[in-house]
Amino acid sequence: MTTFLLIHGGWHGGWAFRAVAIHLQKAGHEVYRPTLAGVAERAWEARLGINIQTHVDELKALVDWEDLDDIVLVAHSYGGFVATALADAIPERFRAIVYLDSFVAEDGDTPFRLVPRPESLVVDTAGDDGLTMKLRPGDAMSRDIDHGRRVAGYQIVHPVGTMMQRIRLSGRYKEIPKKAYILAVGGDGNSQEPHFQRYHQAATQHPEWDAYTLSGGHNLMLDDPVGVAAILRRYSDDNDESIADDV
């Protein structure tokens, strides 16, 4: 049995990894998919002071209180900032870190620095409370129509403070033995979010990284949970690479 810690991206929540978690649990693994402060079912917590470090601290507390070890850490999108900072703080707790169409931040980065047209993101999505950003009009959380209908009645927000804090890294996260990047690509083989291509390209050229592609939109855990789970199982105790030969 392997322990997986799945970190969602912006405007999402632990719910986004539900299908992936089901596949991993059926294979006998332990899975944690927490919702970070200020989003999804925890949106009511949105307040001044929620930033990247808030999310890192609560995940570190989860790891400590649950006494987790030898973890496969998985990060989607914005979650790459949180996961990298968490791994940098306690690298000895992780056997692998997998970035799923995610940012791979460096010391001093902020999400606003790396997101294309950050000023548009603020103007277009500012919440009435001044503390959150709404999901941008027209942004789809999944290609699945039924899922889109299910979330249509919710006001989907994300704490703005998380986008402005500079991440501080010592580089200790690089001690984690296994590192991987999964890039979402369309039918033409091109990235759905071109600014993530550089991370995947860097992974293909680094001897300590594995690099994969999966067909689907940016939210691969919703569009292809089977494919995502198959790749993640490569870093588990069962470590049967044949289960992911089709990805």
Side-chain angles (χ1 to χ4, degrees):
M1 182 190 77
T2 298
T3 299
F4 288 86
L5 177 56
L6 312 180
I7 310 303
H8 64 79
W11 294 271
H12 281 175
W15 60 266
F17 274 112
R18 181 176 182 272
V20 172
I22 289 172
H23 288 292
L24 294 174
Q25 289 164 336
K26 284 181 177 178
H29 302 299
E30 183 175 38
V31 182
Y32 292 83
R33 49 182 180 95
T35 291
L36 302 173
V39 297
E41 72 271 19
R42 299 182 64 188
W44 61 273
E45 297 178 358
R47 64 189 188 282
L48 286 173
I50 292 182
N51 54 26
I52 295 172
Q53 194 60 48
T54 307
H55 290 161
V56 172
D57 289 345
E58 63 183 4
L59 290 176
K60 185 175 182 299
L62 172 66
V63 170
D64 288 342
W65 280 101
E66 294 286 351
D67 195 23
L68 306 182
D69 201 8
D70 202 27
I71 308 162
V72 177
L73 180 61
V74 183
H76 175 247
S77 199
Y78 157 79
F81 273 85
V82 181
T84 302
L86 177 66
D88 199 63
I90 47 173
E92 67 278 3
R93 295 293 189 109
F94 303 102
R95 70 157 60 184
I97 182 168
V98 181
Y99 294 92
L100 179 63
D101 221 41
S102 167
F103 293 102
V104 183
E106 298 179 358
D107 184 56
D109 279 343
T110 70
F112 272 178
R113 176 177 174 270
L114 300 182
V115 171
R117 299 194 310 119
E119 68 287 348
S120 173
L121 181 65
V122 176
V123 172
D124 293 347
T125 68
D128 296 334
D129 55 14
L131 306 177
T132 61
M133 299 176 295
K134 301 175 183 177
L135 190 68
R136 282 185 289 194
D139 279 5
M141 303 200 83
S142 170
R143 294 179 177 180
D144 184 86
I145 295 175
D146 289 336
H147 172 76
R149 289 171 178 163
R150 187 176 73 83
V151 302
Y154 293 94
Q155 185 179 43
I156 301 172
V157 299
H158 186 88
V160 69
T162 62
M163 296 292 168
M164 297 184 289
Q165 184 185 23
R166 292 184 183 276
I167 191 172
R168 294 302 179 191
L169 303 172
S170 68
R172 293 183 66 212
Y173 72 95
K174 297 177 183 178
E175 300 170 9
I176 295 174
K178 297 180 180 180
K179 295 172 280 288
Y181 197 94
I182 305 172
L183 182 71
V185 297
D188 57 2
N190 292 319
S191 171
Q192 301 296 289
E193 300 285 342
H195 50 286
F196 291 141
Q197 279 184 312
R198 67 186 180 96
Y199 302 124
H200 180 262
Q201 182 64 26
T204 64
Q205 298 173 352
H206 200 295
E208 296 181 0
W209 284 69
D210 298 324
Y212 307 91
T213 60
L214 281 177
S215 180
H218 173 51
N219 299 318
L220 280 170
M221 64 286 179
L222 297 174
D223 291 346
D224 187 9
V226 174
V228 171
I231 292 177
L232 296 184
R233 285 183 61 193
R234 291 192 174 199
Y235 301 92
S236 68
D237 288 331
D238 52 25
N239 194 27
D240 181 1
E241 294 198 2
S242 68
I243 63 177
D245 282 347
D246 60 341
V247 300

